[in-house]
């Protein structure tokens, strides 16, 4: 299994910190968020890691290096503009090859890592796993609707969400199914290929999508108050 870290994005909600640094390099307890992400993948046994980079690629690449200081190997993949999470998966197709992969948003922080999720997926017959957590404010998140341990719908930031299971930002995909799904979606109103649209296509195509409910806490470190909480 491979890893795919999304480390592009401009971090506008974290300005002024992100005027001089990539948002994934904001330190939490003296360690960049990105380092926690790399360690989570490594602790799950994943050492071949693709990193999607954008306009902050220089800082991200300088920090990560070739991977030797983390005992992993990095392949850097440049996204020329913010074209959506599904587009990031699309441009990583050559790197992914025929291997299942964990897609991990590079500004997320999980208290208990992803090892259990990866092990559960490997021992299942699912095509994809979505990591979720119950939240009190589901209007602010994409949510998964689950029936009989399978995801039957994903909805992005609905005013009347039918579920309180928020998508956390860690996904596991098999290449043949996710690339089939991405090939059937079109850019959203904001001009991006959305991962939620691709997941909904997986559901429409009758692929088997499961959820892994996280243990402990998670933080999307996208705003200054989230950084302080983390």
């Amino acid at each position: 299994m491979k890893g795919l870290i999304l480390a592009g994005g401009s971090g506008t909600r974290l300005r002024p910190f992100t005027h001089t640094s990539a948002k994934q390099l904001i330190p939490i307890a003296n360690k960049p968020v990105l380092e926690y992400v790399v360690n989570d993948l490594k602790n799950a046994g994943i050492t071949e890691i693709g990193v999607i980079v954008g306009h902050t690629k220089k800082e991200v690449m300088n920090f990560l290096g070739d991977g030797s200081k983390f005992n992993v190997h990095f392949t850097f993949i440049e996204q020329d503009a913010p074209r959506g999470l599904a587009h990031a998966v699309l441009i990583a197709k050559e790197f992914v090859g025929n291997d299942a992969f964990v897609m991990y948003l590079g500004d997320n922080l999980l208290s208990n890592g992803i090892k259990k999720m990866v092990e559960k997926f490997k021992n299942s017959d699912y095509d994809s796993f979505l990591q979720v957590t119950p939240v009190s404010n589901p209007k602010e998140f994409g949510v998964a609707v689950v029936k009989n341990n399978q995801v039957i719908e994903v909805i992005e930031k609905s005013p009347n969400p039918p579920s309180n299971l928020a998508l956390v930002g860690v996904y596991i995909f098999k290449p043949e199914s996710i690339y089939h799904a991405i090939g059937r979606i079109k850019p959203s109103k904001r001009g991006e290929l959305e991962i939620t649209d691709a997941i909904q296509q997986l559901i429409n195509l009758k692929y088997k999508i499961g959820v892994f409910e996280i243990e402990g806490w998670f933080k999307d470190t996208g705003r200054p108050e989230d950084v302080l909480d983390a």
Side-chain angles (χ1 to χ4, degrees), residues 23-85:
K23 64 178 178 175
Q24 297 85 6
L25 299 181
I26 296 283
I28 304 289
N30 302 324
K31 210 159 70 172
V33 178
L34 194 53
E35 189 169 339
Y36 292 97
V37 173
V38 171
N39 285 335
D40 280 356
L41 288 165
K42 185 176 72 173
N43 291 339
I46 295 167
T47 56
E48 276 295 322
I49 301 172
V51 184
I52 304 292
V53 292
H55 75 283
T56 58
K57 66 176 183 178
K58 194 175 285 184
E59 301 103 277
V60 171
M61 291 169 73
N62 283 345
F63 171 70
L64 291 176
D66 62 359
S68 55
K69 68 179 175 181
F70 303 103
N71 293 315
V72 300
H73 180 264
F74 293 121
T75 298
F76 295 101
I77 303 155
E78 188 170 358
Q79 190 177 32
D80 60 346
R83 301 187 189 278
L85 303 186

